[in-house]
Amino acid sequence: MRIGIITFHFAHNQGAVLQCCALQKYLESQGHDVKVIDYRPKYHAVRYDAVKNPFRYAVDVCKRKKTSSAGRIKLFCRSFARCIKLDIRGTDRKNAELFGEFTRKHLHLTECYTSLKSLKKNPPELDAYISGSDQVWNPDLLDQEFDRAYFLDFGKPECRRIAYAVSMGKEFSPEECRQLKELCAPLDAVSLREKTPSVIDAIERDVHICVDPTLLIDAEYYRGLESKEKEKEPYIFVYGFETSDAIKKAVDMASKKFGCRIINGSPGRVKLTGENVENIRDYAPDRFLSFIKNAEYVVTNSFHATAFSVIYKKRFATVPHTTRGRRMIELLGKLGLNSALWGTPDFSMDVVPDYDSSYEKLEVLRSSSKNYLDKALNGCKGEEIPHLTDQDE
């Protein structure tokens, strides 16, 4: 079967790119011909331009941040100045080069589409389209409204249209829930990555819960993607998307326990200082994998750094993100890895995770997710596909 994936494949985000690689790889392992739909809407691409337009960049930031009129003016000016500073430093040029090289090498891309209109006019001729994973239905990461491209509103009517492990990323307003119901109605099957009761109730469809694509694939596949560049000295790897007292305490505790330096590979959002801290910003997914694989310990508030800590069977601490922590809490709970979940009674840096038991649980979740994909691609409506029972989990 010829399948197209639409997701955030071009974002300068380690997890976004790797989950796309994983879904492509899994589908190919099942004998399918897979393409990644190179959808780069202008509202999204502006965030990842090698050299940004300060005006467009500032407008985009203001759209995403809800502030008063006076606050928007201040935010616009601050964002405009920050963009100029980033362009002078060349940070985004380096990221664009590194991520661009990685995606061109590992993803099988269609021609580039910059709008839903262009997708509708000349859609990739395939047998099935899959939307997901990642937060492709989160308006905060789009243009402050749903993008119908991620609900597969293009192509011939007979094509299969499947949502796979979409992560909602937030709670939705009543109006957003109403729109979700309408947008999901034409899909053949719907699955989310985490249970979001308000969204599931609003969609009024039979919604499946599936694992993130990265967890469909064993570590062996990722070894072929890893960077050959390795650190000479032991280190703790830190990767996250917000600075908090909790993550600073976790890093400090790990530093004292393991007695080695810290590599902070966070994309500028976790601020760490000290003589033993090395901040690394510009690197591609291949090095991200190597950083996790070879670390003495991992501290993170990122879902995908959590997932790859599991894949590589690492000792790690996940500090739940203050607004997007549900997905990490849910994953570790399902795998029986609460000893790695900061802030819980079971948390301990002294505990070596029981990965034999965790992988038995993961295999059940994988099998259910693979079954969902297989049946959805082969003509079943989502409502016809069996779910995991509580006993299975």
Side-chain angles (χ1 to χ4, degrees):
M1 181 177 279
R2 298 170 303 160
I3 301 172
I5 300 168
I6 187 167
T7 186
F8 295 157
H9 69 284
F10 68 93
H12 298 169
N13 177 291
Q14 315 294 348
V17 175
L18 288 167
Q19 62 84 20
C20 185
C21 287
L23 185 54
Q24 175 185 270
K25 176 63 178 178
Y26 171 71
L27 292 169
E28 287 178 341
S29 74
Q30 301 305 297
H32 300 295
D33 179 11
V34 185
K35 297 288 185 184
V36 175
I37 299 171
D38 197 10
Y39 181 57
R40 300 174 185 244
K42 292 177 182 177
Y43 67 79
H44 204 176
V46 66
R47 299 168 205 174
Y48 306 110
D49 286 339
V51 179
K52 291 179 170 58
N53 179 311
F55 180 81
R56 287 179 61 193
Y57 177 83
V59 167
D60 179 67
V61 172
C62 289
K63 272 189 175 183
R64 286 183 281 133
K65 304 285 186 180
K66 297 174 176 63
T67 61
S68 64
S69 296
R72 273 199 302 274
I73 293 170
K74 187 182 292 186
L75 180 62
F76 180 92
C77 294
R78 192 164 63 240
S79 302
F80 191 95
R82 182 173 183 272
C83 183
I84 292 173
K85 188 184 295 185
L86 288 172
D87 284 345
I88 291 170
R89 286 180 182 170
T91 298
D92 293 309
R93 283 195 292 273
K94 185 66 173 175
N95 269 330
E97 176 187 332
L98 290 168
F99 275 85
E101 181 181 350
F102 186 89
T103 55
R104 286 191 297 272
K105 181 177 180 182
H106 296 290
L107 296 179
H108 307 145
L109 301 173
T110 66
E111 66 176 271
C112 184
Y113 299 92
T114 59
S115 66
L116 175 59
K117 183 179 179 180
S118 64
L119 257 178
K120 281 176 167 287
K121 183 178 180 180
N122 184 33
E125 294 189 7
L126 302 167
D127 304 309
Y129 301 125
I130 296 177
S131 178
S133 181
D134 226 329
Q135 297 180 55
V136 292
W137 295 351
N138 184 349
D140 293 348
L141 301 183
L142 305 173
D143 201 21
Q144 296 306 303
E145 60 184 8
F146 294 116
D147 185 339
R148 298 182 79 96
Y150 294 112
F151 292 88
L152 309 174
D153 187 18
F154 57 87
K156 295 178 180 178
E158 61 268 24
C159 288
R160 301 292 296 166
R161 289 173 169 80
I162 300 160
Y164 181 75
V166 175
S167 181
M168 307 314 293
K170 70 166 201 168
E171 292 296 330
F172 286 75
S173 70
E175 174 56 22
E176 287 171 331
C177 286
R178 186 195 67 75
Q179 292 178 49
L180 271 173
K181 177 183 174 181
E182 174 200 332
L183 291 164
C184 287
L187 298 175
D188 291 297
V190 178
S191 78
L192 304 181
R193 198 173 68 188
E194 304 88 28
K195 290 180 181 176
T196 311
S198 60
V199 172
I200 293 172
D201 291 344
I203 291 175
E204 295 185 9
R205 291 283 308 271
D206 189 33
V207 176
H208 291 252
I209 304 301
C210 293
V211 297
D212 186 82
T214 55
L215 294 166
L216 291 173
I217 305 291
D218 288 324
E220 187 61 37
Y221 163 66
Y222 297 109
R223 292 191 183 103
L225 301 183
E226 294 163 9
S227 169
K228 301 300 184 286
E229 188 175 351
K230 292 184 180 179
E231 300 297 312
K232 294 180 180 178
E233 301 294 331
Y235 61 91
I236 295 162
F237 183 58
V238 180
Y239 186 84
F241 288 94
E242 66 174 356
T243 301
S244 65
D245 289 341
I247 200 163
K248 287 180 178 178
K249 287 177 182 176
V251 171
D252 184 58
M253 183 185 294
S255 178
K256 290 174 180 174
K257 177 171 180 57
F258 294 95
C260 52
R261 66 196 179 100
I262 295 160
I263 294 180
N264 179 20
S266 307
R269 296 176 192 160
V270 175
K271 310 293 184 184
L272 299 175
T273 58
E275 292 182 2
N276 68 332
V277 176
E278 181 180 1
N279 294 295
I280 297 178
R281 295 288 180 265
D282 311 321
Y283 63 99
D286 56 348
R287 201 167 178 206
F288 172 78
L289 293 174
S290 295
F291 276 142
I292 292 181
K293 178 184 177 181
N294 299 308
E296 294 294 308
Y297 196 78
V298 177
V299 179
T300 185
N301 58 29
S302 151
F303 174 85
H304 281 110
T306 298
F308 279 105
S309 294
V310 172
I311 289 165
Y312 284 120
K313 301 183 178 180
K314 304 301 296 184
R315 296 176 70 176
F316 68 100
T318 289
V319 180
H321 193 282
T322 54
T323 60
R324 301 195 294 271
R326 180 201 303 251
R327 44 193 168 164
M328 306 160 205
I329 295 169
E330 193 171 304
L331 174 65
L332 295 182
K334 286 179 177 180
L335 299 181
L337 290 172
N338 283 327
S339 63
L341 187 59
W342 180 270
T344 64
D346 295 330
F347 176 79
S348 173
M349 288 188 181
D350 295 320
V351 173
V352 177
D354 180 1
Y355 279 114
D356 288 341
S357 174
S358 296
Y359 263 62
E360 286 180 7
K361 295 179 173 68
L362 177 57
E363 193 52 46
V364 173
L365 300 174
R366 277 178 174 169
S367 295
S368 175
S369 301
K370 291 175 180 180
N371 183 61
Y372 165 83
L373 274 172
D374 180 61
K375 289 192 178 299
L377 287 169
N378 283 286
C380 290
K381 296 288 285 184
E383 287 72 10
E384 301 167 349
I385 302 171
H387 289 255
L388 271 179
T389 65
D390 292 338
Q391 185 176 1
D392 291 330
E393 291 189 58

